Amino acid sequence: MELEVKILRITAGGKRIAILDDDTAANLGVHSGDRVSVTHSGNAMIAIANISKDIPKNRIGLYEETAQTLNLRNGNMVEVQLAQIPESLTHVRAKLKGQRLREKDITNIVRDVVERHLSEEEISAFLTALNIHGLSMGESEAMSRAMIETGKTLSFGEAPVLDKHSVGGIPGDKTSILVVPIIAAAGLTIPKTSSRAVTSPAGTADRVETLCPVNLTIEEIRETVNKTNGCLVWGGSLELAPADDLFIQIEHPLGIDPLLLPSIMSKKKAIGATHVAIDIPTGAGAKIKTMTEAYLLASDFVDLGKRLDLTVQCALTYGEQPLGCSIGPALEAREALTALMGKSPPDLFDKATSLAGVLFEMVGIENGQRKAESIIQAGGAEQKLREIIEVQGGNPKIMPQDIGVGDKTSTVTANQSGRVLWISGESIAQIAREAGAPREKGAGVVLKAKLGDIVKKDGDLYEIYAERDSKLESALTLATNLQPVVLSRKGEERMILDQVPGKSVQEKTFIMER
Amino acid sequence: MELEVKILRITAGGKRIAILDDDTAANLGVHSGDRVSVTHSGNAMIAIANISKDIPKNRIGLYEETAQTLNLRNGNMVEVQLAQIPESLTHVRAKLKGQRLREKDITNIVRDVVERHLSEEEISAFLTALNIHGLSMGESEAMSRAMIETGKTLSFGEAPVLDKHSVGGIPGDKTSILVVPIIAAAGLTIPKTSSRAVTSPAGTADRVETLCPVNLTIEEIRETVNKTNGCLVWGGSLELAPADDLFIQIEHPLGIDPLLLPSIMSKKKAIGATHVAIDIPTGAGAKIKTMTEAYLLASDFVDLGKRLDLTVQCALTYGEQPLGCSIGPALEAREALTALMGKSPPDLFDKATSLAGVLFEMVGIENGQRKAESIIQAGGAEQKLREIIEVQGGNPKIMPQDIGVGDKTSTVTANQSGRVLWISGESIAQIAREAGAPREKGAGVVLKAKLGDIVKKDGDLYEIYAERDSKLESALTLATNLQPVVLSRKGEERMILDQVPGKSVQEKTFIMER
């Protein structure tokens, strides 16, 4: 049936919505919530039908984003039909029954996810089944390829193209802001794209944005890489592996991450990387809790990398406490810049130079970590970062104190003297988010003591930064409840961590980062 | 934040939608797709926020059904906030990890499903995990109780209140239209509520609606039961176990049915039944394929019944072919009425009297089937059905030929002589739906030969009825592809059912009925 387009200036968070008059819908056999196919000039899309008595009979109301999908304008004529059930739904149902999927079934599903032919409920069921059953390596490879094929890809040429990625989990992991300039200063190509925070107080894109713009176009990214060998940009608008973002939106509230491997590998392949160093923080405070788990994940990464023609080296890194002292976009940017200028917390310095060293050794440069150390000490990494900042549109002369942080602060002090026994990264991250991070870039936490440090009674444990008083207050209240830093005076104290039945059952925070 | 209500005459298939101006949304910290809580006069609801530039700043646009939830009118002032993550999501995530849920966790989840606090994706993940992991009997009991508590309940007093239910799966199962009058004629109470078809060509509510109204209010149902001992009504608007309907909407496209037991038992308990006969059609053409599966399901029903203080008797019934000859609402109503008037296909007569007999014996009346047979033969069941029809608002004098059926018909004939070896109920059902059933009540199929019957070349196999030529044509095309009736002349023929690789891989239809 042919209907005339009427554009409605409403957004629905990505869903494709079409409004039909109730008689029109009845004639098409469409009920509210059914899918309809909308075709114009040979291009088709699927949208969810809502029924209205206020729409004229021969019109179809399209939400703004929906109309944009086919570049439709008011008055265009489109052909509308009740949509067929997508073939991919058959494969989704097969996976619900625990069946292994063939490569073409997976490709079909991923295409239909991107084309919005599958509903959120169907994608959710699929991801849940994957989470419970697990994926075979063949399925992971097929997922990776499908996620790459259904999006754009970039190429930075034949020469080694390096990349680094952390599976995430420890707050304060600002390592990339050091690694990229080190590698670029050595003349190697490292086009680093990063995400914004999903559950954490800061993603690399959020941190770097306090130094310079990160939402660069593909042309601007090429220019930056051409001029400096590297970049530190947000990858979200490049349309690389768009299926990944759609999956993450559904995985996140469910607290599951069945596609961790294909998600990361597809994005690296799509950006044109040839050599990837994967940081796997391991420990109580990280996403990966034990070395056994870490070894298994690492070998899966290497294996999947081989299948996708990517050279992968994994580093299992210390994950028992936050990295460095600062947590929050602006605070972390300050700490990273200060580190490159010569004054760094030891753990941040060691991790950044180690990972840069891993990358160097992947392309045949020996004594990688030492090389990385000397690049920092000679000032080459700081200079390179400032070059990148300038080309990306920021002020190359920026100093740490120029980076705005929250002016509403409060320090939490020790109620006894002792040694820092335990810092809950999860709790520190929650406090930083309660204080306003990452939306309020100047918010966060600065640790005044790390594991093993001795603290006197009334000594500083950590300082909370916020941009608004209300945020500071609720962060302080949360801090009092969570008690993220645990001190011990004598060995025997504090052996009881909690009791059941007890005050409350604490839900473990789900960590989702990319 | 206080906003003024503006009602939009749009329906979204049950979802609760609220439209906010983009500045208002930013102030509330709300993005498109987030959940907001809307409070008015002490009552609150959750809705999904969509953002629009066309809504005035201090207004909130509510879809019609959404506004009705709190009885809101244009101009009402409501309080709007970003909604908190529901506690039930924690329990959903636990089930995704395979953990067994406690009764209060399940109650929490079901409440939040009914209150729309959980999104469709979250419910979908929950159902998928249940489907893969299965439910313990304790969880089934908790689900049943929670589904009952979150809806209305009825009571028809202390005396035995009988009910009958089929798990479904074979087309043409019009048994209830005979069983209810038989039981009611014997002076026993049987307030039968039924559903409309979900995947089949006809549900009991669709069949009976061709005889009299079925959308009765609770008062009208009580009146019918008071006057006649029974009723044949649609249960959908009584708000019994509303969570069940929400679950079914999501289960259906996914082809899963993890809550079959609590779904059926909660509805029976909510309607006030004390004794329930459950028909489990078993066989190749049914939902339950083998006797082993049927025995397991049946003992689960009896077990769950005990826990819910319901006396349950299961009958495993023949499920190799459709029941009777007619498939489709009006055609089946004709066949049922004709059967009570003295002319019945033998399988329908035997099944109806057997099941009525099971119910009689559950309340201590011996020789139940013989009693049921004599009630039909004496005309008591026909008279009772006509009483029920009259009180429910139909014409008590209605004759089979008065029930309108499709006037566009075509008979499919045998291309050889032989004995009927196999009738695919699934295919017959698909053909009936293609012909227009159940939306077009007069559409369907009438079988001219049943299993074991001998047919001559060019003899009638089945007749397709439709209300529109286009429907008749596509049903005939489908019939040619599906070949639902298989004949055999000699034992050795037709031993090959299909080949792989072959013409096509047929997807087995998922049967969901209540």
Side-chain angles (χ1 to χ4, degrees), chain A residues 100-113:
Chain A
R100 191 166 296 186
L101 297 179
R102 295 167 297 178
E103 186 179 343
K104 61 191 193 66
D105 302 335
I106 288 178
T107 307
N108 189 210
I109 289 176
V110 174
R111 279 220 180 95
D112 279 357
V113 166

Side-chain angles (χ1 to χ4, degrees), chain A residues 10 113 116 131 138 169 189 278 310 347 372 383 385 394 401 430 436:
Chain A
I10 307 176
V113 166
R116 306 293 204 286
N131 196 57
T189 306
I278 308 238
L310 270 174
D347 55 352
Q383 184 183 339
L385 178 62
Q401 55 270 30
Q430 275 181 266

Side-chain angles (χ1 to χ4, degrees), chain A residues 126-142:
Chain A
F126 177 61
L127 292 168
T128 301
L130 286 182
N131 196 57
I132 297 174
H133 293 303
L135 282 88
S136 68
M137 188 50 69
E139 287 173 320
S140 287
E141 183 186 349

